[in-house]
């Protein structure tokens, strides 16, 4: 709706990119707060459908990598491997699900 669009535009006006050149970066913090949780980086692994076309271990390999780096993994409903199998290799690591509705 038009009201939603106006609300989104107002929110984006509050976002500012501040250049930080020529600064000491020996200690840096790339963490972010998303949905009330602090993450070590702003990166999540997005869903990729039919991933076996790119790698024979498909979602299992990506899920293991995400878990080892403490990066949230987002399941695809077009995944190459069943969600239950992928979740099993992740242990208790964070995962989300992309729903195509």
């Amino acid at each position: 709706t038009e009201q939603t669009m106006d609300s989104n535009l107002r929110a984006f006006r509050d976002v500012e990119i501040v250049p930080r050149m020529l600064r000491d970066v020996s200690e840096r913090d790339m963490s972010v707060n998303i949905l009330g949780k602090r993450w070590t980086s702003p990166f999540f692994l997005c869903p990729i459908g039919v991933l076996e076309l790119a790698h024979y271990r498909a979602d299992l390999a990506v899920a293991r990598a995400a878990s080892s780096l403490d990066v949230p993994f987002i399941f695809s409903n077009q995944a190459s491997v069943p969600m239950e199998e992928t979740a099993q290799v992740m242990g208790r690591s964070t995962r989300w699900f992309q729903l195509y509705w």
Side-chain angles (χ1 to χ4, degrees), residues 2-35:
E2 190 172 325
Q3 183 179 5
T4 302
M5 181 64 100
D6 289 341
S7 175
N8 288 341
L9 288 172
R10 281 193 304 277
F12 274 114
R13 286 188 193 109
D14 293 337
V15 175
E16 188 176 336
I17 296 174
V18 180
R20 302 196 190 291
M21 294 159 291
L22 301 175
R23 293 181 180 245
D24 180 13
V25 292
S26 58
E27 292 185 38
R28 59 195 165 115
D29 180 11
M30 292 179 34
S31 62
V32 294
N33 284 311
I34 299 175
L35 299 176

Side-chain angles (χ1 to χ4, degrees), residues 40-64:
T40 56
S41 82
F43 302 108
F44 288 35
L45 284 172
C46 64
I48 301 172
V50 294
L51 190 56
E52 81 271 7
L53 295 175
H55 190 278
Y56 76 101
R57 300 288 313 239
D59 305 276
L60 297 175
V62 176
R64 279 192 187 102

